[in-house]
Amino acid sequence: MTALLGVELAGRAVLVVGGGPVAARRAQALADEGALVRVVAPHVCEPLADLVVAGGARWSDREVAETDLDDVWLVHTATGDRATDAAVVAWATARRVFCVDAGGPRRPAAGTARTPATTHAGDVLVGVVSAAGADPRRSVEVRDRLAAHLRAGDVDLRRRRATAGQGRVVLVGGGPGDVDLLTVAGRRALAEADVVVADRLGPVDVLDQLPADVEVVDVGKSPGHHPVPQDEINRLLVEQAQRGRVVVRLKGGDPFVYGRGGEEVLACRAAGVPVSVVPGVSSAFAAAAAAGVPLTHRGVVGAVHVMNGTDGWSAAALTGLRDRSCTVVVLMGVAALPGLVRDALAGGVDPDVPVAVVERATLPDQRVTHAPLHEVAAVAAARGVRAPAVVVVGHVAAPDLLTPTVADPAPELVDEVDVTPPAPVTMDA
Ligand SMILES: C[S@@+](CC[C@H](N)C(=O)[O-])C[C@H]1O[C@@H](n2cnc3c(N)ncnc32)[C@H](O)[C@@H]1O
């Protein structure tokens, strides 16, 4: 009969016997948990040597001796030598110290403990072992299914027991708007949230999928209208976290691309509140892709310049457009478009350079407007183009760029390739 325990290893001595790849993996995992890892082996493989050099483990380069087990809480033996592993298991058993035996290709593990196949979701740790006899492949299969379920954000991961003083803030980049473009990490962060501080842009539909008792604070901004000032948002994040809550700051696109995420991180750090950032799919890149515009294209252009339309052209952006060396992506550029066009033409940019304006990219009502630079402001006005929109300027924005011509032959068919999946990681030894 096997019981699954959560064992606190931080600061506790653990012995790893053996110097090969299995021992290295075990030692690394133990070091990651904060255990004081002692390795005993005449030789160690490179990853284990690296761990020792990095200070994650202490190495005695000799054969193991019974006295090595004198003051340790746990033993892992993975020497690959049947007699040595058996001796280590016997010494540990005599001392009432649990011992994990990695076993070998033709030898089942004989220790008194087994390593579960584990997966983390935030501070939730899930472990899988077989109750009767090791079955590593099955444990890994079950673990992977559970991990996928947790990653999908389907499980409410909020703490039920209060953790005073352990609040934190997670800045989540929600992507341009389509909920499918919210990352797995973003979804998982939302599954842990007690409170979500949300913007007007981004995957707002995901808010409807949150449990009813998750508090949602709308601090959404629209152009020219800022319902909640940034200082107030910063104060709110800090105050909620200081109440011990997990606060997700859900932002459109990526938090660090014109998202004022840096200011929010600074505010949290200044207040001593733990803060982390989940990157998001920025509209700076996603809008063009969603509209079928490749920001770089072999033989056309190989660089991208992203700018804020309200700041006007930088010298670098104008130079890049004049000499066709980069595509320019303009965020917050709808109201500024007439002025941008005027200044670009005055700055010597080709009046016929193609422009694409992508409104509400990735959302069901996405709309793309194509026009040459000298006409785009008038065309956009006539079509009633509104924010949020991304303006792409450059030859990659030509509407027919990706329309095949006779000069672009279809690729030849290739034989099927054998893609045998790699063997699963062996655990539950
Ligand atoms: C304050 S910036 C935030 C940018 C965001 N952090 C990002 O990485 O996408 C707001 C601007 O992003 C652009 N934007 C955001 N979402 C968009 C979308 N779905 N479609 C088009 N433009 C979008 C617009 O230019 C909008 O004015």
Side-chain angles (χ1 to χ4, degrees), residues 175-178 200-202 223 251-260 280-285 287 330-334 358-363 387-391:
D178 181 348
R200 181 185 59 97
L201 294 177
K251 303 176 81 72
D254 182 274
F256 283 178
V257 178
Y258 300 124
R260 305 194 72 171
V281 177
S282 176
S283 65
F285 301 103
V330 185
L331 271 64
M332 294 168 277
V334 173
V358 190
E359 294 168 82
R360 295 183 56 76
T362 77
L363 293 165
V390 166
V391 181

mmCIF file of all heavy atoms in Angstrom, residues 175-178 200-202 223 251-260 280-285 287 330-334 358-363 387-391, ligand 1:
data_model
loop_
_atom_site.group_PDB
_atom_site.id
_atom_site.type_symbol
_atom_site.label_atom_id
_atom_site.label_comp_id
_atom_site.label_asym_id
_atom_site.label_seq_id
_atom_site.Cartn_x
_atom_site.Cartn_y
_atom_site.Cartn_z
ATOM 1 N N GLY A 175 -3.731 39.555 -24.967
ATOM 2 C CA GLY A 175 -3.810 39.440 -26.417
ATOM 3 C C GLY A 175 -4.765 40.475 -26.989
ATOM 4 O O GLY A 175 -5.378 41.261 -26.260
ATOM 5 N N PRO A 176 -4.934 40.466 -28.310
ATOM 6 C CA PRO A 176 -5.651 41.558 -28.977
ATOM 7 C C PRO A 176 -7.161 41.546 -28.791
ATOM 8 O O PRO A 176 -7.810 42.547 -29.061
ATOM 9 C CB PRO A 176 -5.294 41.353 -30.451
ATOM 10 C CG PRO A 176 -4.927 39.912 -30.564
ATOM 11 C CD PRO A 176 -4.324 39.523 -29.257
ATOM 12 N N GLY A 177 -7.738 40.432 -28.381
ATOM 13 C CA GLY A 177 -9.190 40.446 -28.189
ATOM 14 C C GLY A 177 -9.829 39.080 -28.289
ATOM 15 O O GLY A 177 -10.678 38.731 -27.466
ATOM 16 N N ASP A 178 -9.441 38.290 -29.287
ATOM 17 C CA ASP A 178 -9.986 36.945 -29.420
ATOM 18 C C ASP A 178 -9.552 36.127 -28.200
ATOM 19 O O ASP A 178 -8.352 36.027 -27.904
ATOM 20 C CB ASP A 178 -9.431 36.319 -30.710
ATOM 21 C CG ASP A 178 -9.974 34.912 -30.952
ATOM 22 O OD1 ASP A 178 -10.578 34.337 -30.022
ATOM 23 O OD2 ASP A 178 -9.772 34.393 -32.059
ATOM 24 N N ARG A 200 -10.573 47.898 -21.231
ATOM 25 C CA ARG A 200 -11.598 47.849 -22.275
ATOM 26 C C ARG A 200 -11.129 46.971 -23.430
ATOM 27 O O ARG A 200 -11.910 46.277 -24.064
ATOM 28 C CB ARG A 200 -11.848 49.278 -22.773
ATOM 29 C CG ARG A 200 -12.894 49.440 -23.838
ATOM 30 C CD ARG A 200 -12.906 50.891 -24.294
ATOM 31 N NE ARG A 200 -11.594 51.281 -24.813
ATOM 32 C CZ ARG A 200 -11.267 51.285 -26.104
ATOM 33 N NH1 ARG A 200 -12.150 50.936 -26.998
ATOM 34 N NH2 ARG A 200 -10.068 51.654 -26.495
ATOM 35 N N LEU A 201 -9.807 47.013 -23.720
ATOM 36 C CA LEU A 201 -9.268 46.211 -24.815
ATOM 37 C C LEU A 201 -8.867 44.837 -24.295
ATOM 38 O O LEU A 201 -8.731 44.627 -23.102
ATOM 39 C CB LEU A 201 -8.041 46.910 -25.424
ATOM 40 C CG LEU A 201 -8.315 48.242 -26.123
ATOM 41 C CD1 LEU A 201 -7.017 48.857 -26.612
ATOM 42 C CD2 LEU A 201 -9.279 48.045 -27.282
ATOM 43 N N GLY A 202 -8.657 43.921 -25.229
ATOM 44 C CA GLY A 202 -8.231 42.583 -24.827
ATOM 45 C C GLY A 202 -9.404 41.624 -24.804
ATOM 46 O O GLY A 202 -10.505 41.938 -25.276
ATOM 47 N N PRO A 223 -10.174 55.953 -26.047
ATOM 48 C CA PRO A 223 -9.324 57.067 -26.478
ATOM 49 C C PRO A 223 -9.860 58.404 -25.982
ATOM 50 O O PRO A 223 -11.034 58.716 -26.146
ATOM 51 C CB PRO A 223 -9.377 56.981 -28.010
ATOM 52 C CG PRO A 223 -9.776 55.581 -28.305
ATOM 53 C CD PRO A 223 -10.630 55.126 -27.170
ATOM 54 N N LYS A 251 -4.705 42.863 -19.167
ATOM 55 C CA LYS A 251 -4.465 43.982 -20.079
ATOM 56 C C LYS A 251 -4.580 43.521 -21.526
ATOM 57 O O LYS A 251 -4.330 42.356 -21.835
ATOM 58 C CB LYS A 251 -3.060 44.549 -19.834
ATOM 59 C CG LYS A 251 -2.852 44.987 -18.389
ATOM 60 C CD LYS A 251 -1.446 45.442 -18.123
ATOM 61 C CE LYS A 251 -1.221 46.856 -18.576
ATOM 62 N NZ LYS A 251 -1.879 47.845 -17.718
ATOM 63 N N GLY A 252 -4.921 44.451 -22.403
ATOM 64 C CA GLY A 252 -4.965 44.114 -23.823
ATOM 65 C C GLY A 252 -3.552 43.932 -24.359
ATOM 66 O O GLY A 252 -2.615 44.596 -23.914
ATOM 67 N N GLY A 253 -3.396 43.011 -25.306
ATOM 68 C CA GLY A 253 -2.092 42.814 -25.945
ATOM 69 C C GLY A 253 -1.047 42.333 -24.972
ATOM 70 O O GLY A 253 -1.284 41.428 -24.174
ATOM 71 N N ASP A 254 0.112 42.969 -25.017
ATOM 72 C CA ASP A 254 1.197 42.646 -24.092
ATOM 73 C C ASP A 254 1.300 43.772 -23.061
ATOM 74 O O ASP A 254 1.195 44.949 -23.425
ATOM 75 C CB ASP A 254 2.518 42.523 -24.871
ATOM 76 C CG ASP A 254 3.661 42.142 -23.951
ATOM 77 O OD1 ASP A 254 4.277 43.050 -23.342
ATOM 78 O OD2 ASP A 254 3.917 40.936 -23.815
ATOM 79 N N PRO A 255 1.512 43.423 -21.791
ATOM 80 C CA PRO A 255 1.512 44.469 -20.753
ATOM 81 C C PRO A 255 2.604 45.516 -20.931
ATOM 82 O O PRO A 255 2.474 46.634 -20.453
ATOM 83 C CB PRO A 255 1.754 43.681 -19.454
ATOM 84 C CG PRO A 255 1.473 42.262 -19.770
ATOM 85 C CD PRO A 255 1.710 42.077 -21.232
ATOM 86 N N PHE A 256 3.678 45.126 -21.618
ATOM 87 C CA PHE A 256 4.825 46.034 -21.723
ATOM 88 C C PHE A 256 4.923 46.711 -23.092
ATOM 89 O O PHE A 256 5.948 47.287 -23.429
ATOM 90 C CB PHE A 256 6.125 45.278 -21.423
ATOM 91 C CG PHE A 256 6.362 45.017 -19.945
ATOM 92 C CD1 PHE A 256 7.478 44.315 -19.520
ATOM 93 C CD2 PHE A 256 5.482 45.479 -18.983
ATOM 94 C CE1 PHE A 256 7.707 44.078 -18.170
ATOM 95 C CE2 PHE A 256 5.693 45.250 -17.631
ATOM 96 C CZ PHE A 256 6.807 44.552 -17.222
ATOM 97 N N VAL A 257 3.871 46.610 -23.902
ATOM 98 C CA VAL A 257 3.860 47.346 -25.173
ATOM 99 C C VAL A 257 2.758 48.397 -25.067
ATOM 100 O O VAL A 257 1.571 48.072 -25.147
ATOM 101 C CB VAL A 257 3.610 46.408 -26.375
ATOM 102 C CG1 VAL A 257 3.544 47.215 -27.675
ATOM 103 C CG2 VAL A 257 4.700 45.346 -26.472
ATOM 104 N N TYR A 258 3.140 49.624 -24.828
ATOM 105 C CA TYR A 258 2.191 50.724 -24.626
ATOM 106 C C TYR A 258 1.070 50.319 -23.667
ATOM 107 O O TYR A 258 -0.092 50.666 -23.875
ATOM 108 C CB TYR A 258 1.600 51.188 -25.964
ATOM 109 C CG TYR A 258 2.642 51.685 -26.931
ATOM 110 C CD1 TYR A 258 2.759 51.137 -28.199
ATOM 111 C CD2 TYR A 258 3.525 52.686 -26.559
ATOM 112 C CE1 TYR A 258 3.732 51.587 -29.085
ATOM 113 C CE2 TYR A 258 4.504 53.136 -27.431
ATOM 114 C CZ TYR A 258 4.598 52.586 -28.685
ATOM 115 O OH TYR A 258 5.563 53.026 -29.543
ATOM 116 N N GLY A 259 1.441 49.580 -22.631
ATOM 117 C CA GLY A 259 0.415 49.093 -21.715
ATOM 118 C C GLY A 259 0.555 49.663 -20.315
ATOM 119 O O GLY A 259 -0.245 49.336 -19.444
ATOM 120 N N ARG A 260 1.559 50.469 -20.078
ATOM 121 C CA ARG A 260 1.845 51.057 -18.767
ATOM 122 C C ARG A 260 2.084 49.976 -17.717
ATOM 123 O O ARG A 260 1.931 50.205 -16.514
ATOM 124 C CB ARG A 260 0.735 52.037 -18.357
ATOM 125 C CG ARG A 260 0.527 53.105 -19.438
ATOM 126 C CD ARG A 260 -0.289 54.270 -19.001
ATOM 127 N NE ARG A 260 0.428 55.139 -18.066
ATOM 128 C CZ ARG A 260 -0.019 56.328 -17.676
ATOM 129 N NH1 ARG A 260 -1.160 56.790 -18.156
ATOM 130 N NH2 ARG A 260 0.657 57.055 -16.819
ATOM 131 N N GLY A 280 1.875 38.736 -23.333
ATOM 132 C CA GLY A 280 0.679 38.550 -24.157
ATOM 133 C C GLY A 280 0.995 38.759 -25.630
ATOM 134 O O GLY A 280 2.055 39.272 -25.993
ATOM 135 N N VAL A 281 0.065 38.371 -26.477
ATOM 136 C CA VAL A 281 0.209 38.568 -27.922
ATOM 137 C C VAL A 281 -0.143 40.021 -28.210
ATOM 138 O O VAL A 281 -1.291 40.436 -28.037
ATOM 139 C CB VAL A 281 -0.751 37.627 -28.685
ATOM 140 C CG1 VAL A 281 -0.661 37.883 -30.183
ATOM 141 C CG2 VAL A 281 -0.450 36.170 -28.362
ATOM 142 N N SER A 282 0.839 40.799 -28.619
ATOM 143 C CA SER A 282 0.594 42.231 -28.819
ATOM 144 C C SER A 282 -0.149 42.487 -30.125
ATOM 145 O O SER A 282 0.139 41.869 -31.156
ATOM 146 C CB SER A 282 1.923 42.987 -28.831
ATOM 147 O OG SER A 282 1.678 44.346 -29.107
ATOM 148 N N SER A 283 -1.060 43.451 -30.075
ATOM 149 C CA SER A 283 -1.762 43.841 -31.304
ATOM 150 C C SER A 283 -0.770 44.401 -32.316
ATOM 151 O O SER A 283 -1.045 44.411 -33.516
ATOM 152 C CB SER A 283 -2.840 44.880 -30.992
ATOM 153 O OG SER A 283 -2.249 46.072 -30.520
ATOM 154 N N ALA A 284 0.383 44.856 -31.842
ATOM 155 C CA ALA A 284 1.389 45.395 -32.764
ATOM 156 C C ALA A 284 1.772 44.350 -33.811
ATOM 157 O O ALA A 284 2.100 44.690 -34.946
ATOM 158 C CB ALA A 284 2.627 45.837 -31.983
ATOM 159 N N PHE A 285 1.732 43.093 -33.437
ATOM 160 C CA PHE A 285 2.078 42.017 -34.372
ATOM 161 C C PHE A 285 0.835 41.252 -34.820
ATOM 162 O O PHE A 285 0.716 40.858 -35.969
ATOM 163 C CB PHE A 285 3.091 41.062 -33.723
ATOM 164 C CG PHE A 285 4.353 41.774 -33.327
ATOM 165 C CD1 PHE A 285 4.596 42.114 -32.011
ATOM 166 C CD2 PHE A 285 5.272 42.155 -34.291
ATOM 167 C CE1 PHE A 285 5.742 42.814 -31.659
ATOM 168 C CE2 PHE A 285 6.420 42.860 -33.950
ATOM 169 C CZ PHE A 285 6.658 43.190 -32.628
ATOM 170 N N ALA A 287 -2.339 42.145 -35.153
ATOM 171 C CA ALA A 287 -3.303 42.781 -36.060
ATOM 172 C C ALA A 287 -2.889 42.549 -37.508
ATOM 173 O O ALA A 287 -3.712 42.197 -38.358
ATOM 174 C CB ALA A 287 -3.401 44.274 -35.754
ATOM 175 N N VAL A 330 1.849 51.368 -36.469
ATOM 176 C CA VAL A 330 1.448 52.508 -35.640
ATOM 177 C C VAL A 330 0.277 52.094 -34.756
ATOM 178 O O VAL A 330 -0.780 51.689 -35.246
ATOM 179 C CB VAL A 330 1.021 53.710 -36.519
ATOM 180 C CG1 VAL A 330 0.714 54.922 -35.644
ATOM 181 C CG2 VAL A 330 2.096 54.035 -37.552
ATOM 182 N N LEU A 331 0.472 52.192 -33.447
ATOM 183 C CA LEU A 331 -0.627 51.984 -32.501
ATOM 184 C C LEU A 331 -1.171 53.353 -32.111
ATOM 185 O O LEU A 331 -0.434 54.348 -32.144
ATOM 186 C CB LEU A 331 -0.139 51.223 -31.263
ATOM 187 C CG LEU A 331 -0.202 49.691 -31.357
ATOM 188 C CD1 LEU A 331 0.711 49.163 -32.443
ATOM 189 C CD2 LEU A 331 0.142 49.042 -30.021
ATOM 190 N N MET A 332 -2.412 53.373 -31.683
ATOM 191 C CA MET A 332 -3.064 54.625 -31.269
ATOM 192 C C MET A 332 -2.917 55.678 -32.368
ATOM 193 O O MET A 332 -2.573 56.834 -32.096
ATOM 194 C CB MET A 332 -2.461 55.118 -29.945
ATOM 195 C CG MET A 332 -2.764 54.181 -28.793
ATOM 196 S SD MET A 332 -1.806 54.531 -27.332
ATOM 197 C CE MET A 332 -0.287 53.698 -27.691
ATOM 198 N N GLY A 333 -3.184 55.268 -33.596
ATOM 199 C CA GLY A 333 -2.914 56.165 -34.716
ATOM 200 C C GLY A 333 -4.138 56.627 -35.467
ATOM 201 O O GLY A 333 -3.999 57.333 -36.474
ATOM 202 N N VAL A 334 -5.356 56.288 -35.033
ATOM 203 C CA VAL A 334 -6.535 56.628 -35.841
ATOM 204 C C VAL A 334 -6.754 58.143 -35.866
ATOM 205 O O VAL A 334 -6.829 58.755 -36.939
ATOM 206 C CB VAL A 334 -7.792 55.893 -35.329
ATOM 207 C CG1 VAL A 334 -9.033 56.390 -36.056
ATOM 208 C CG2 VAL A 334 -7.637 54.389 -35.527
ATOM 209 N N VAL A 358 -6.058 48.137 -39.612
ATOM 210 C CA VAL A 358 -6.774 46.955 -39.116
ATOM 211 C C VAL A 358 -7.540 47.345 -37.855
ATOM 212 O O VAL A 358 -6.945 47.624 -36.819
ATOM 213 C CB VAL A 358 -5.791 45.805 -38.793
ATOM 214 C CG1 VAL A 358 -6.562 44.521 -38.514
ATOM 215 C CG2 VAL A 358 -4.780 45.612 -39.906
ATOM 216 N N GLU A 359 -8.858 47.391 -37.970
ATOM 217 C CA GLU A 359 -9.699 47.733 -36.813
ATOM 218 C C GLU A 359 -10.123 46.457 -36.102
ATOM 219 O O GLU A 359 -10.429 45.445 -36.734
ATOM 220 C CB GLU A 359 -10.981 48.445 -37.279
ATOM 221 C CG GLU A 359 -10.791 49.794 -37.914
ATOM 222 C CD GLU A 359 -12.095 50.252 -38.580
ATOM 223 O OE1 GLU A 359 -12.973 50.782 -37.861
ATOM 224 O OE2 GLU A 359 -12.232 50.044 -39.808
ATOM 225 N N ARG A 360 -10.204 46.536 -34.791
ATOM 226 C CA ARG A 360 -10.714 45.443 -33.946
ATOM 227 C C ARG A 360 -10.161 44.085 -34.393
ATOM 228 O O ARG A 360 -10.897 43.120 -34.608
ATOM 229 C CB ARG A 360 -12.242 45.448 -33.937
ATOM 230 C CG ARG A 360 -12.781 46.726 -33.282
ATOM 231 C CD ARG A 360 -14.280 46.762 -33.179
ATOM 232 N NE ARG A 360 -14.839 45.623 -32.468
ATOM 233 C CZ ARG A 360 -14.812 45.464 -31.144
ATOM 234 N NH1 ARG A 360 -14.241 46.375 -30.384
ATOM 235 N NH2 ARG A 360 -15.350 44.410 -30.598
ATOM 236 N N ALA A 361 -8.848 44.068 -34.505
ATOM 237 C CA ALA A 361 -8.178 42.864 -35.007
ATOM 238 C C ALA A 361 -8.525 41.647 -34.161
ATOM 239 O O ALA A 361 -8.601 41.737 -32.930
ATOM 240 C CB ALA A 361 -6.671 43.083 -34.988
ATOM 241 N N THR A 362 -8.730 40.547 -34.827
ATOM 242 C CA THR A 362 -9.011 39.207 -34.264
ATOM 243 C C THR A 362 -10.423 39.074 -33.700
ATOM 244 O O THR A 362 -10.802 37.993 -33.263
ATOM 245 C CB THR A 362 -7.998 38.763 -33.171
ATOM 246 O OG1 THR A 362 -8.288 39.438 -31.940
ATOM 247 C CG2 THR A 362 -6.558 38.982 -33.583
ATOM 248 N N LEU A 363 -11.195 40.150 -33.704
ATOM 249 C CA LEU A 363 -12.571 40.061 -33.200
ATOM 250 C C LEU A 363 -13.517 39.791 -34.375
ATOM 251 O O LEU A 363 -13.146 39.995 -35.539
ATOM 252 C CB LEU A 363 -12.934 41.350 -32.459
ATOM 253 C CG LEU A 363 -12.119 41.505 -31.164
ATOM 254 C CD1 LEU A 363 -12.194 42.916 -30.620
ATOM 255 C CD2 LEU A 363 -12.585 40.495 -30.124
ATOM 256 N N ALA A 387 -10.965 53.663 -33.571
ATOM 257 C CA ALA A 387 -10.097 52.919 -32.662
ATOM 258 C C ALA A 387 -10.930 51.798 -32.001
ATOM 259 O O ALA A 387 -12.152 51.967 -31.866
ATOM 260 C CB ALA A 387 -9.541 53.851 -31.596
ATOM 261 N N PRO A 388 -10.315 50.699 -31.626
ATOM 262 C CA PRO A 388 -8.886 50.440 -31.728
ATOM 263 C C PRO A 388 -8.512 49.943 -33.116
ATOM 264 O O PRO A 388 -9.210 49.116 -33.699
ATOM 265 C CB PRO A 388 -8.662 49.334 -30.693
ATOM 266 C CG PRO A 388 -9.951 48.568 -30.686
ATOM 267 C CD PRO A 388 -11.024 49.584 -30.935
ATOM 268 N N ALA A 389 -7.418 50.473 -33.605
ATOM 269 C CA ALA A 389 -6.933 50.040 -34.914
ATOM 270 C C ALA A 389 -5.413 50.135 -34.937
ATOM 271 O O ALA A 389 -4.818 50.962 -34.236
ATOM 272 C CB ALA A 389 -7.530 50.909 -36.016
ATOM 273 N N VAL A 390 -4.833 49.273 -35.752
ATOM 274 C CA VAL A 390 -3.387 49.289 -35.969
ATOM 275 C C VAL A 390 -3.155 49.682 -37.424
ATOM 276 O O VAL A 390 -3.832 49.165 -38.321
ATOM 277 C CB VAL A 390 -2.781 47.896 -35.668
ATOM 278 C CG1 VAL A 390 -1.359 47.789 -36.207
ATOM 279 C CG2 VAL A 390 -2.796 47.631 -34.168
ATOM 280 N N VAL A 391 -2.233 50.608 -37.633
ATOM 281 C CA VAL A 391 -1.921 51.074 -38.987
ATOM 282 C C VAL A 391 -0.573 50.472 -39.393
ATOM 283 O O VAL A 391 0.415 50.616 -38.661
ATOM 284 C CB VAL A 391 -1.846 52.619 -39.021
ATOM 285 C CG1 VAL A 391 -1.545 53.109 -40.436
ATOM 286 C CG2 VAL A 391 -3.147 53.232 -38.500
HETATM 287 C C1 LIG B 1 -2.784 51.559 -25.172
HETATM 288 S S1 LIG B 1 -2.369 50.638 -26.574
HETATM 289 C C2 LIG B 1 -2.223 49.046 -25.874
HETATM 290 C C3 LIG B 1 -1.446 48.102 -26.714
HETATM 291 C C4 LIG B 1 -1.398 46.707 -26.136
HETATM 292 N N1 LIG B 1 -0.661 46.683 -24.917
HETATM 293 C C5 LIG B 1 -0.832 45.692 -27.107
HETATM 294 O O1 LIG B 1 0.271 45.171 -26.892
HETATM 295 O O2 LIG B 1 -1.516 45.379 -28.067
HETATM 296 C C6 LIG B 1 -3.904 50.592 -27.395
HETATM 297 C C7 LIG B 1 -3.741 50.480 -28.890
HETATM 298 O O3 LIG B 1 -3.451 49.147 -29.243
HETATM 299 C C8 LIG B 1 -4.016 48.872 -30.497
HETATM 300 N N2 LIG B 1 -4.948 47.745 -30.348
HETATM 301 C C9 LIG B 1 -5.173 47.030 -29.255
HETATM 302 N N3 LIG B 1 -6.028 46.029 -29.502
HETATM 303 C C10 LIG B 1 -6.350 46.126 -30.797
HETATM 304 C C11 LIG B 1 -7.178 45.371 -31.669
HETATM 305 N N4 LIG B 1 -7.846 44.300 -31.262
HETATM 306 N N5 LIG B 1 -7.258 45.755 -32.954
HETATM 307 C C12 LIG B 1 -6.569 46.810 -33.403
HETATM 308 N N6 LIG B 1 -5.781 47.560 -32.628
HETATM 309 C C13 LIG B 1 -5.661 47.219 -31.346
HETATM 310 C C14 LIG B 1 -4.708 50.127 -30.968
HETATM 311 O O4 LIG B 1 -3.793 50.854 -31.739
HETATM 312 C C15 LIG B 1 -4.977 50.793 -29.661
HETATM 313 O O5 LIG B 1 -5.165 52.187 -29.840
#
